[in-house]
Amino acid sequence: MKERLAVGALCILVAMEYGVLHDLVTTQLSIKYFTVGHLPPFWLPCDAPNLAVFYGITSSWWLGLIFGVLLSGPAATKIGIKRIFLMLQRLCLVG
């Protein structure tokens, strides 16, 4: 059970990391996508890093949840958990 929760949490963290990094690049290319296409939250200043972190997390955590649910099945075995963690570590380093 602990392995399944660990895999799920790691998948959510990796997805959020990817979302934030992707949106940081996007805000540097064109901030208009976030200021014109989306309504910014009223409590957040409208500068590029804040918008990238906010929209990166809110738009990608659910994908990590889906992958976490799918990958938590093989996490019950010892071989499966090692492979999953190695794969997710590679994604974190490359991502």
Side-chain angles (χ1 to χ4, degrees):
M1 184 67 177
K2 290 181 184 179
E3 290 88 6
R4 289 183 182 204
L5 290 175
V7 168
L10 189 60
C11 286
I12 292 171
L13 289 174
V14 168
M16 288 190 309
E17 176 189 6
Y18 173 77
V20 170
L21 291 175
H22 184 271
D23 286 347
L24 280 170
V25 171
T26 304
T27 56
Q28 295 303 314
L29 295 175
S30 175
I31 191 71
K32 288 184 180 182
Y33 175 77
F34 292 102
T35 57
V36 175
H38 299 87
L39 291 175
F42 64 90
W43 48 268
L44 192 67
C46 289
D47 58 342
N50 285 337
L51 290 174
V53 170
F54 176 75
Y55 286 117
I57 289 173
T58 57
S59 66
S60 61
W61 70 267
W62 59 271
L63 186 63
L65 181 66
I66 292 171
F67 280 120
V69 168
L70 293 175
L71 291 175
S72 65
T77 64
K78 293 291 181 184
I79 296 172
I81 192 74
K82 289 179 183 176
R83 285 185 179 173
I84 289 170
F85 274 116
L86 286 175
M87 180 186 68
L88 291 174
Q89 284 177 349
R90 286 185 204 140
L91 286 174
C92 285
L93 294 176
V94 173

